[in-house]
Amino acid sequence: MSGNRRNALLVSAALVGGAMLMTACQDSDSGTAQGSPSATAGDKTVSPSGSSASGSDQGGGKASGGQGAAAGTGSGKNGKVGKCRTDQLKITATDNTITGDADGTVTVHLKNSGGRECAISGYAGVDLKTNAGSLSAKRNGEKTNSLILKSGQSTDFGIYYPINKSGGSGVRVTGLLVTPPNETKSVTLHWPGAGTLPVTDGSGSPVKVGAVGNAGQGG
């Protein structure tokens, strides 16, 4: 083989090899370019419900986050309100007896001073301290109401007791113990009503307590 022909074959082989190398590089670049749009399209297919064509983990994570925020918002508006605790209530009592009534009335005021709204319902515990011992009030059977007290709002209930018309010294009242509904902590108050109660025959407490929110006149 002559030298010229050998050189021509070498040049031809080099040209073919170069062309193949360029084609491989173009295929590699083309593959990368095709991969990027695919990933972008996957990101855009996340639906409002959180499903994703690019993978359930990513879609589920986004859906979980969205649902959690919505649940949090709902809880803030419709969630349970805590009960009114003794420590957040300012409790006072006033004489509310009207001349001519058969029984005396003391009204107990419960003011929410805790800085947050609270729920209250039912009957408070009421005990009168007397020189003859403690006297527990009986519920008068009024229908109970569920109330939400915003900070600064108040509600009331009534205590109804017989007036001592016996002419005797009767039973001397020395104080008032109030326990808010569904609570165990009590507060001791000054008794603002009549100083004495008539002596009873021991057949039951003559003192009645009304439901919270129903501080009317009479028992």
Side-chain angles (χ1 to χ4, degrees):
M1 181 181 294
S2 67
N4 289 336
R5 186 176 179 184
R6 182 183 301 160
N7 290 338
L9 290 174
L10 291 174
V11 170
S12 177
L15 291 174
V16 172
M20 292 177 64
L21 180 61
M22 291 179 63
T23 301
C25 292
Q26 289 175 352
D27 288 343
S28 175
D29 292 341
S30 175
T32 302
Q34 292 174 358
S36 296
S38 175
T40 303
D43 289 342
K44 290 182 179 179
T45 57
V46 177
S47 71
S49 63
S51 62
S52 171
S54 63
S56 61
D57 288 342
Q58 181 182 5
K62 290 184 178 180
S64 177
Q67 291 171 357
T73 301
S75 296
K77 296 175 65 175
N78 302 316
K80 292 183 179 179
V81 177
K83 69 180 180 181
C84 295
R85 312 297 304 219
T86 303
D87 290 338
Q88 76 181 101
L89 293 172
K90 181 179 180 181
I91 304 175
T92 57
T94 59
D95 182 17
N96 204 20
T97 303
I98 294 177
T99 302
D101 279 356
D103 294 324
T105 301
V106 166
T107 299
V108 177
H109 309 274
L110 308 168
K111 181 177 180 179
N112 179 8
S113 58
R116 61 174 179 82
E117 64 182 12
C118 63
I120 190 168
S121 65
Y123 286 82
V126 170
D127 294 279
L128 270 60
K129 294 181 177 181
T130 76
N131 62 338
S134 180
L135 183 64
S136 296
K138 302 290 186 180
R139 297 179 180 184
N140 69 353
E142 288 177 337
K143 181 180 178 180
T144 61
N145 297 308
S146 296
L147 306 173
I148 301 295
L149 298 182
K150 296 184 181 298
S151 181
Q153 288 185 330
S154 301
T155 188
D156 315 90
F157 68 85
I159 301 172
Y160 313 104
Y161 63 94
I163 297 174
N164 183 15
K165 300 177 181 179
S166 65
S169 59
V171 178
R172 183 166 55 88
V173 182
T174 60
L176 170 63
L177 196 67
V178 174
T179 308
N182 304 307
E183 265 286 51
T184 57
K185 186 176 182 179
S186 304
V187 295
T188 300
L189 305 174
H190 168 71
W191 171 251
T196 63
L197 301 176
V199 177
T200 65
D201 58 6
S203 59
S205 175
V207 182
K208 306 293 182 183
V209 58
V212 169
N214 295 331
Q217 291 292 329

